[in-house]
Amino acid sequence: RASLERNIGSLTHFIPEWLHINEDGGKIIDSRIPEDRDDITPLVRSHGLPIIPLINNFIDSTLHEHQGHWSSQAVHNLVSVPATRAKFIQDLKAMLLREKWQGVNIDFEQPAPEDKDNLTQFMRELYMEFHSAGLLVCQDTAIDDPNFDRQALVKYNDFLIPMVYDEHSPGEDGGGAGSIASMKWTEEQLHQLFEVEKIPPQKIVLGIGNYAYDWQDGDVNADPLSFQSAILQAKESQDPKEANIAK
């Protein structure tokens, strides 16, 4: 709330993570808390900002027997069946109109290779249905995931949000300790977007990571940190004799 109040004058859209799909893929889970309905929503509306809720395929550990995870299966269950797609799109549209929201942000991550074309078709059907109702559509795409056909998806979105981060991430395949988005790496991703894929710049809103990892020397695993925690930890760890070296 405090951060939103400080920065709301600089925002053009408000995209809260309020919605999820369930493991079966066909139902919408509303994860808003009372503060979202009674405090945040009136504040945003008082500033005239469009509310574009984000819906994703993250299955919360409190709603599922396993640890919270991105569910490729949920995306598959939704986008691979035409009747399921159609009903979901109608249900989501009805919800947006009922809540007087102005559009939706689709954040379906880690889709399976076999769902690449089905995801595009889902976005095509959703875009056509939502635009007929005056609703905005935007979509998050992992910058290095070939299962997002951005050259097709850009046709069915008012704008795309490529997630230009996680150059390094925890785990054996994460590349080890390092920046989440170094300047050189970021420039390479922008070159891929604009020069190779030929995505129109006016259809791109760059997704920037506001988090960090706490790496231990020689360990491929790391603890995630919020931006605020990372700044505080870096300050507390600074060597008083050499500002660029952590203790």
Side-chain angles (χ1 to χ4, degrees):
R1 163 81 190 207
S3 176
L4 178 61
E5 287 184 328
R6 286 196 304 270
N7 297 287
I8 197 166
S10 301
L11 301 181
T12 59
H13 300 75
F14 181 64
I15 305 181
E17 185 184 356
W18 281 348
L19 307 177
H20 307 268
I21 60 175
N22 69 339
E23 189 75 61
D24 293 334
K27 293 183 179 180
I28 301 164
I29 298 172
D30 185 345
S31 64
R32 286 177 294 172
I33 61 175
E35 183 185 20
D36 295 326
R37 301 171 187 270
D38 303 332
D39 191 8
I40 300 300
T41 295
L43 172 64
V44 172
R45 285 188 169 145
S46 72
H47 285 76
L49 290 178
I51 298 176
I52 315 293
L54 178 152
I55 183 167
N56 66 26
N57 60 315
F58 187 80
I59 308 300
D60 195 313
S61 59
T62 61
L63 304 173
H64 193 271
E65 61 181 355
H66 302 299
Q67 184 178 2
H69 65 287
W70 295 99
S71 176
S72 301
Q73 186 63 49
V75 174
H76 173 77
N77 293 342
L78 170 58
V79 304
S80 63
V81 181
T84 305
R85 291 198 306 260
K87 183 179 186 305
F88 180 89
I89 289 169
Q90 289 300 324
D91 289 347
L92 184 58
K93 174 185 169 184
M95 184 179 194
L96 265 62
L97 294 175
R98 182 174 65 251
E99 296 288 344
K100 295 181 172 57
W101 294 332
Q102 284 67 53
V104 70
N105 172 231
I106 302 295
D107 181 29
F108 292 166
E109 300 194 24
Q110 301 178 15
E114 60 267 27
D115 289 321
K116 181 176 182 177
D117 292 340
N118 285 328
L119 178 57
T120 300
Q121 181 61 22
F122 168 81
M123 292 304 302
R124 177 180 181 275
E125 294 168 5
L126 183 142
Y127 180 80
M128 294 177 66
E129 186 67 31
F130 276 37
H131 262 223
S132 69
L135 297 169
L136 181 145
V137 175
C138 58
Q139 183 180 9
D140 305 334
T141 65
I143 193 64
D144 57 354
D145 189 337
N147 299 324
F148 290 99
D149 186 355
R150 269 190 294 267
Q151 291 170 307
L153 291 170
V154 72
K155 302 173 187 176
Y156 309 124
N157 280 278
D158 292 289
F159 54 87
L160 292 177
I161 306 176
M163 297 179 283
V164 188
Y165 43 81
D166 258 1
E167 176 187 1
H168 295 85
S169 59
E172 295 292 342
D173 300 323
S179 173
I180 62 170
S182 65
M183 287 297 296
K184 182 177 185 300
W185 180 84
T186 300
E187 290 171 356
E188 291 170 352
Q189 308 316 308
L190 296 179
H191 176 82
Q192 174 69 27
L193 279 173
F194 300 134
E195 302 299 329
V196 179
E197 298 179 22
K198 303 295 184 183
I199 305 298
Q202 65 270 22
K203 296 291 288 283
I204 291 293
V205 173
L206 205 62
I208 299 173
N210 65 335
Y211 63 96
Y213 293 115
D214 182 14
W215 300 96
Q216 301 297 319
D217 189 25
D219 194 346
V220 297
N221 296 310
D223 295 324
L225 297 173
S226 68
F227 176 78
Q228 292 87 348
S229 295
I231 294 299
L232 180 61
Q233 185 158 319
K235 183 177 181 180
E236 292 177 344
S237 301
Q238 191 177 70
D239 189 327
K241 296 180 180 179
E242 177 51 67
N244 295 321
I245 298 177
K247 292 186 290 184

